[in-house]
Amino acid sequence: MAAEQVSSAIEVDGLWKIFGPRPDRVLAGPDRHLDQAALREKTGCTAAVRDVSFEVRPGEVFVVMGLSGSGKSTLVRCLTRLIEPTAGRIVLGGEDVGAASPARLRELRRHRVSMVFQHFGLLPHRRVIDNVAYGLEIQGRSRADRHARAREILSLVGLDGHAGHYPDQLSGGMQQRVGLARALAVDPEVLLFDEPFSALDPLIRRDMQAEVIRLHREVGKTMVFITHDLSEALKLGERIAIMRAGSIVQLGTPEELVGAPADDYVADFVRDVPRGHVLSLRWICRAPEPGEPLDGPALPAGTVIRDAVPATTASARPIRVMDGEELVGVVDRVDVLSAMARAVPGEGARA
């Protein structure tokens, strides 16, 4: 069992959420295959999540991205049964969430999973330190114990000196830091973020994205992050699931989404992403031509194209692209600069 728990932090298999009358009947019949508009017209039901399956690895930042109405927020709420799924299996750290009793579900939400929302949900009549310590209070921890932990977490998120303030004395970005600190205070295994920064202005949003990256590096929590913003998804996600009409249309690394979009829908999403900022040399390297010298500098295959520009422009010989000791291919300055100039992913990207 221990080995299974290490292999995945979250497992989702065949998850459905259908809103409306008699969802079980819809799920059991042919109507489940209708598109959203046809299903709603015929049955009065909406399939917000349709047969979704994925795994999240321990310590991974897993991003679910989609436009409004794609089902992403419903999906994240199903993970802890804040919204009750219609069908499917959800396993958190080896525990079947669907089989949990109401009492066990409360314990899971109090101890193992924390959620950070778009609207901070802070208690306006409580000081910052008591907002951060709220989850510990629910757990029954002593006041001294929970305040000590809250001060430790406030320091971690850069809010030293603000423990005695009230939420309305803080900026939006600082309030979201309090929400983040509250989620971290209970030391959960998994953090769920439901578009936490979409209400913030662009500069504060960028700072908070950097804060999440820093905190992940320091505390190593498993994170599931919901967003409608592609640049945010590419910045934060180790893997990204793109949703449309309740289904996952592609799941992969940022590099895979940009380099090999699964369909026109994904291609439209990534159309304006600078390839050179996301793709690695592995995607653009080529086989050496006959007689081409192989004594030039070497770079790892995972080097981002943009970062390879100095080496390729400084060398008169092709750069060897290496995967450990294995030669994957070569690139020269023309290859790299051409890739930097292309905004739209091309065809035939190398795996």
Side-chain angles (χ1 to χ4, degrees), residues 195-307:
E195 301 206 58
F197 309 144
S198 60
L200 303 176
D201 71 52
L203 290 178
I204 297 175
R205 183 171 186 159
R206 188 171 61 200
D207 288 344
M208 289 304 300
Q209 291 166 357
E211 186 71 8
V212 167
I213 293 170
R214 181 186 69 82
L215 287 171
H216 182 256
R217 189 163 55 241
E218 292 191 19
V219 301
K221 298 293 183 185
T222 303
M223 298 180 177
V224 177
F225 198 100
I226 306 300
T227 184
H228 65 269
D229 185 273
L230 177 62
S231 63
E232 186 167 75
L234 295 173
K235 184 174 184 179
L236 297 177
E238 296 172 53
R239 288 187 301 148
I240 300 167
I242 295 184
M243 291 191 72
R244 181 187 188 189
S247 300
I248 291 178
V249 294
Q250 186 169 1
L251 194 164
T253 65
E255 193 172 6
E256 289 166 344
L257 298 182
V258 173
D263 58 18
D264 290 342
Y265 182 75
V266 180
D268 283 341
F269 259 116
V270 302
R271 183 174 307 280
D272 296 324
V273 175
R275 289 167 56 91
H277 293 200
V278 179
L279 299 185
S280 67
L281 294 181
R282 186 184 300 276
W283 287 80
I284 65 166
C285 66
R286 53 181 173 77
E289 297 176 4
E292 194 168 24
L294 295 177
D295 57 352
L299 287 174
T303 304
V304 175
I305 294 170
R306 175 182 56 183
D307 297 338

Side-chain angles (χ1 to χ4, degrees), residues 21-345:
R22 306 188 70 176
D24 293 337
R25 182 177 180 181
V26 171
L27 192 61
D31 291 343
R32 64 189 288 176
H33 301 297
L34 296 174
D35 64 30
Q36 297 284 49
L39 179 67
R40 190 162 46 247
E41 182 178 351
K42 182 176 181 181
T43 68
C45 291
T46 298
V49 177
R50 289 175 172 259
D51 197 19
V52 165
S53 300
F54 62 89
E55 292 188 14
V56 181
R57 304 161 187 153
E60 180 178 23
V61 180
F62 185 91
V63 172
V64 181
M65 197 200 83
L67 300 178
S68 179
S70 63
K72 59 190 185 299
S73 290
T74 301
L75 170 62
V76 75
R77 283 167 166 76
C78 284
L79 297 183
T80 56
R81 288 171 57 193
L82 290 174
I83 292 176
E84 197 68 38
T86 304
R89 187 165 181 259
I90 301 164
V91 179
L92 277 169
E95 181 172 356
D96 187 341
V97 176
S101 66
R104 179 58 193 152
L105 200 53
R106 286 194 296 271
E107 287 300 297
L108 184 148
R109 293 171 183 163
R110 288 175 181 175
H111 294 275
R112 300 184 63 184
V113 182
S114 286
M115 196 157 186
V116 182
F117 297 95
Q118 173 183 347
H119 302 293
F120 319 128
L122 303 182
L123 302 172
H125 61 289
R126 290 196 171 202
R127 296 176 303 156
V128 164
I129 192 168
D130 292 310
N131 268 282
V132 174
Y134 183 71
L136 302 172
E137 182 180 345
I138 296 298
Q139 290 180 3
R141 306 261 288 266
S142 71
R143 187 173 188 273
D145 184 24
R146 63 181 185 257
H147 276 199
R149 173 65 175 168
R151 290 185 189 279
E152 175 187 336
I153 298 300
L154 284 170
S155 179
L156 181 66
V157 301
L159 287 177
D160 278 323
H162 296 281
H165 288 75
Y166 287 89
D168 64 1
Q169 296 175 299
L170 305 179
S171 68
M174 293 172 74
Q175 288 184 44
Q176 192 57 284
R177 286 175 188 263
V178 176
L180 184 53
R182 180 178 56 191
L184 286 167
V186 297
D187 194 24
E189 297 169 22
V190 175
L191 283 164
L192 306 177
F193 296 84
D194 188 11
E195 301 206 58
F197 309 144
S198 60
L200 303 176
D201 71 52
L203 290 178
I204 297 175
R205 183 171 186 159
R206 188 171 61 200
D207 288 344
M208 289 304 300
Q209 291 166 357
E211 186 71 8
V212 167
I213 293 170
R214 181 186 69 82
L215 287 171
H216 182 256
R217 189 163 55 241
E218 292 191 19
V219 301
K221 298 293 183 185
T222 303
M223 298 180 177
V224 177
F225 198 100
I226 306 300
T227 184
H228 65 269
D229 185 273
L230 177 62
S231 63
E232 186 167 75
L234 295 173
K235 184 174 184 179
L236 297 177
E238 296 172 53
R239 288 187 301 148
I240 300 167
I242 295 184
M243 291 191 72
R244 181 187 188 189
S247 300
I248 291 178
V249 294
Q250 186 169 1
L251 194 164
T253 65
E255 193 172 6
E256 289 166 344
L257 298 182
V258 173
D263 58 18
D264 290 342
Y265 182 75
V266 180
D268 283 341
F269 259 116
V270 302
R271 183 174 307 280
D272 296 324
V273 175
R275 289 167 56 91
H277 293 200
V278 179
L279 299 185
S280 67
L281 294 181
R282 186 184 300 276
W283 287 80
I284 65 166
C285 66
R286 53 181 173 77
E289 297 176 4
E292 194 168 24
L294 295 177
D295 57 352
L299 287 174
T303 304
V304 175
I305 294 170
R306 175 182 56 183
D307 297 338
V309 171
T312 54
T313 55
S315 175
R317 294 178 177 274
I319 302 292
R320 290 174 294 134
V321 179
M322 306 296 295
D323 185 357
E325 298 297 318
E326 179 185 354
L327 178 68
V328 179
V330 297
V331 293
D332 57 26
R333 68 185 70 180
V334 173
D335 299 322
V336 169
L337 294 177
S338 296
M340 288 290 292
R342 289 199 299 271
V344 182

